Amino acid sequence: MPIYEFSCRRCGRFDASRPMSSVPDALDCPTCAQDSPRVISAVGLSRAGSPAARTIDAAARTASEPPVVTGAPGRPRSAPVTTDPRHRRLPRP
Ligand SMILES: [Zn+2]
């Protein structure tokens, strides 16, 4: 059920969940029971803080602030591929 916002003249705004098929134009305030009209407000569709927004921000930031590179990418040193002693005599690149 969607949440609708109502505004009481005395107590301010309050939310109420109602089915879409029966949305009242006004509700009684839960505090003072005064007739409170429904308020049309903006829908919260903010993307701030979402993974998609962070990715977009990071991609835009690389245009003006590219990541700092301190050297050429190197090959990781690992154990020799072979243990055959004849392979040591082969020419090196
Ligand atoms: Zn009230």
Side-chain angles (χ1 to χ4, degrees):
M1 277 191 287
I3 298 171
Y4 296 97
E5 189 173 11
F6 297 87
S7 178
C8 174
R9 287 187 189 142
R10 272 195 237 162
C11 310
R13 296 186 175 205
F14 63 93
D15 297 332
S17 180
R18 293 287 182 273
M20 291 177 83
S21 58
S22 63
V23 183
D25 290 334
L27 268 186
D28 290 342
C29 173
T31 307
C32 67
Q34 187 173 359
D35 196 40
S36 306
R38 182 159 56 104
V39 176
I40 307 296
S41 56
V43 179
L45 294 178
S46 175
R47 293 184 322 171
S50 69
R54 283 196 301 271
T55 303
I56 291 169
D57 290 345
R61 198 168 36 248
T62 60
S64 60
E65 302 168 24
V68 175
V69 177
T70 57
R75 279 186 282 169
R77 299 286 174 197
S78 61
V81 177
T82 179
T83 56
D84 190 333
R86 293 175 295 176
H87 291 165
R88 290 193 197 124
R89 287 182 277 157
L90 291 172
R92 300 286 172 188

